[in-house]
Amino acid sequence: MVENEALRTLRNTIENYLNESFGGFMKDQKNNYIIQAGRTMVLIMPLQWVEDQTVVKVVTVINLGAPITAELTHFLVAENMKILFGKFSLDVNNQAIIYEENLFGDYLSRKELEVAVKTVAVTAEHYKSTIGEKFGGKVIG
């Protein structure tokens, strides 16, 4: 997909904010941004949404390989109800438990991105061992 002007502008904004807030960033093969926040790798994904609007997904993988059972899915849904920001999700194809927060790209502020990255990292750290101990799989980070 060819990037439109809104997405190019968002990328420039994200790069400036990540430099200001975290002193830099890495990029993956898909041109997403990576921040190491403590022991957690946080992925920042700028995306085209509808028309000229954009979204920023702030994501981390918590666990790989845990069997996807009714007990696990019930746990994640129940925890989603307790969490104020962000959500758990499952990447069934890769057997991955993910924690993510989504932001409107068109209205993104530096502080909002910084807090989202930190929130995703802190929440992931809080749940990594609990999920690993209860459901198995490989804890990431």
Side-chain angles (χ1 to χ4, degrees), residues 1-19:
M1 178 196 273
V2 175
E3 290 189 358
N4 65 14
E5 184 64 29
L7 189 56
R8 285 191 297 275
T9 299
L10 178 60
R11 285 188 175 283
N12 187 51
T13 299
I14 289 171
E15 289 179 12
N16 289 334
Y17 290 168
L18 293 177
N19 279 322

Side-chain angles (χ1 to χ4, degrees), residues 28 32-37 40-47 55-62 86-91 96-103 113 116-121 124 140:
D28 69 7
N32 296 311
Y33 304 97
I34 302 169
I35 294 291
Q36 182 73 41
T40 301
M41 296 284 272
V42 178
L43 187 66
I44 297 98
M45 303 167 58
L47 302 167
V55 172
V56 180
K57 289 182 73 129
V58 181
V59 179
T60 191
V61 176
I62 293 176
K87 67 179 179 181
F88 288 103
S89 58
L90 288 172
D91 177 347
I97 299 170
I98 295 168
Y99 187 75
E100 66 182 287
E101 187 169 337
N102 300 316
L103 308 169
L113 181 59
V117 168
K118 290 177 180 178
T119 298
V120 166
I140 305 300

Side-chain angles (χ1 to χ4, degrees), residues 73-139:
T73 57
H74 182 267
F75 173 83
L76 295 176
V77 169
E79 293 304 304
N80 276 342
M81 289 296 296
K82 297 176 188 176
I83 296 170
L84 191 56
F85 296 102
K87 67 179 179 181
F88 288 103
S89 58
L90 288 172
D91 177 347
V92 177
N93 293 330
N94 294 305
Q95 209 167 348
I97 299 170
I98 295 168
Y99 187 75
E100 66 182 287
E101 187 169 337
N102 300 316
L103 308 169
F104 289 109
D106 303 337
Y107 307 101
L108 188 67
S109 73
R110 182 190 60 78
K111 193 64 176 174
E112 179 184 32
L113 181 59
E114 180 181 323
V115 169
V117 168
K118 290 177 180 178
T119 298
V120 166
V122 167
T123 303
E125 283 301 317
H126 175 76
Y127 279 97
K128 283 179 183 181
S129 60
T130 301
I131 290 173
E133 290 167 9
K134 284 183 98 159
F135 302 104
K138 179 182 177 196
V139 174

